[in-house]
Amino acid sequence: IPGVVWEIWFERDPSEQRVDFISDRIEQLTGYSKEEWFEKNLWFDVTHADDRERSRRESDAIIASESGNGSVEYRWIRKDGSVFWALTRMNVVRNESGAPIGLRGVTMDVTDKRVAQIEREQVRIQEEILRAETRALADLSTPLIPISDDVVIMPLVGDIDESRAERALQLLMQGMTREHAKVAILDITGVPAMNPQIAEALLRAARAVQLLGARVVLSGVRADVAIKLYGDDLDT
């Protein structure tokens, strides 16, 4: 077994625990000998201070549970001061009347697994931050500006890809609903290039706005853009 096998007994109170058996691997895992563990139950002494109360609560919950089994994960401090993550799986031992009188289980070093989990979580957080920053930048570069009680204008500047076009549509719909606007002016003067996909996105925006009982006015349309839009079923 790639871990420490152990048994702990308590006759009256779980706080009065004594180690009855522990496998030789304990010294390799913690630096403390079997004799040191028998002399004094080091379980909570070697547990990291930040994890000590939590691990005690979780262990007590397992002892009090109906199933009488579970696992606890925490940091242990070796005799040389180094820290590692330990996972303890335990089962409650009961007497003939069903009262808990001990625990037995296995404790393993899961540092590599825990570190990988933490790294994945850090990557996930960084990705979320990047997405939030991208959305914020998109909002800033796609502003919706009220110019009267009934009219809003959205000036589009710079290159527009499909993602930004979809984001502009979302902002347009949300802003018109919020402002109770009847007319939305999409100013595309600052858009240097217009491909069919972006033209279609503008048409979708116009159709969506119409569903709100409002209409879209396209401003700054150049001849090449007009050609791309020509022939589409759009009434603005």
Side-chain angles (χ1 to χ4, degrees), residues 6 16 75 79 82 87 98 100 116-117 135 140 142 147 153 190 205-206 235:
W6 51 266
E16 300 176 3
R75 286 165 293 180
K79 198 171 187 176
S82 60
L87 173 67
Q117 179 183 350
R135 287 195 299 268
L140 289 173
T142 314
I147 58 176
I153 183 170
D235 179 19

Side-chain angles (χ1 to χ4, degrees), residues 144-177:
L144 186 67
I145 305 168
I147 58 176
S148 73
D149 292 341
D150 297 326
V151 181
V152 295
I153 183 170
M154 177 178 282
L156 300 177
V157 180
D159 293 329
I160 300 179
D161 56 16
E162 291 188 53
S163 175
R164 186 181 173 197
E166 290 298 328
R167 182 62 181 162
L169 173 57
Q170 293 176 11
L171 290 174
L172 180 63
M173 298 290 289
Q174 294 168 2
M176 293 199 69
T177 301

Side-chain angles (χ1 to χ4, degrees), residues 40-58:
K40 182 183 180 183
N41 185 357
L42 298 174
W43 212 272
F44 289 103
D45 292 342
V46 300
T47 302
H48 194 285
D50 292 343
D51 300 339
R52 196 168 294 161
E53 288 305 315
R54 176 184 58 80
S55 65
R56 188 188 298 274
R57 289 195 307 272
E58 293 179 1

Side-chain angles (χ1 to χ4, degrees), residues 26-228:
I26 190 64
E27 187 164 0
Q28 177 185 348
L29 191 66
T30 68
Y32 293 95
S33 67
K34 292 171 60 174
E35 289 72 24
E36 289 176 288
W37 282 84
F38 288 136
E39 181 180 349
K40 182 183 180 183
N41 185 357
L42 298 174
W43 212 272
F44 289 103
D45 292 342
V46 300
T47 302
H48 194 285
D50 292 343
D51 300 339
R52 196 168 294 161
E53 288 305 315
R54 176 184 58 80
S55 65
R56 188 188 298 274
R57 289 195 307 272
E58 293 179 1
S59 298
D60 289 345
I62 292 171
I63 294 172
S65 69
E66 184 176 348
S67 65
N69 61 75
S71 61
V72 183
E73 192 169 321
Y74 38 63
R75 286 165 293 180
W76 265 5
I77 303 174
R78 295 187 179 93
K79 198 171 187 176
D80 63 7
S82 60
V83 178
F84 69 99
W85 280 96
L87 173 67
T88 294
R89 303 186 185 277
M90 65 183 78
N91 290 313
V92 176
V93 181
R94 304 183 187 275
N95 60 18
E96 294 180 355
S97 63
I101 58 173
L103 295 166
R104 60 167 58 101
V106 179
T107 298
M108 297 172 288
D109 183 348
V110 292
T111 302
D112 291 343
K113 177 182 176 182
R114 183 73 180 195
V115 168
Q117 179 183 350
I118 292 172
E119 290 176 348
R120 287 195 300 272
E121 181 66 13
Q122 289 174 338
V123 170
R124 185 188 65 81
I125 292 173
Q126 288 299 320
E127 290 176 347
E128 287 185 357
I129 292 173
L130 180 59
R131 284 195 293 269
E133 290 175 345
T134 301
R135 287 195 299 268
L137 181 59
D139 291 347
L140 289 173
S141 60
T142 314
L144 186 67
I145 305 168
I147 58 176
S148 73
D149 292 341
D150 297 326
V151 181
V152 295
I153 183 170
M154 177 178 282
L156 300 177
V157 180
D159 293 329
I160 300 179
D161 56 16
E162 291 188 53
S163 175
R164 186 181 173 197
E166 290 298 328
R167 182 62 181 162
L169 173 57
Q170 293 176 11
L171 290 174
L172 180 63
M173 298 290 289
Q174 294 168 2
M176 293 199 69
T177 301
R178 184 179 62 250
E179 301 293 337
H180 305 289
K182 298 301 182 183
V183 177
I185 300 173
L186 286 180
D187 183 3
I188 59 174
T189 305
V191 178
M194 180 73 64
N195 60 42
Q197 290 77 18
I198 304 308
E200 176 59 28
L202 293 176
L203 296 178
R204 288 201 307 273
R207 297 187 187 105
V209 169
Q210 287 177 341
L211 294 176
L212 297 177
R215 66 190 183 96
V216 170
V217 175
L218 291 179
S219 172
V221 180
R222 298 186 305 276
D224 59 328
V225 176
I227 293 172
K228 289 185 173 68

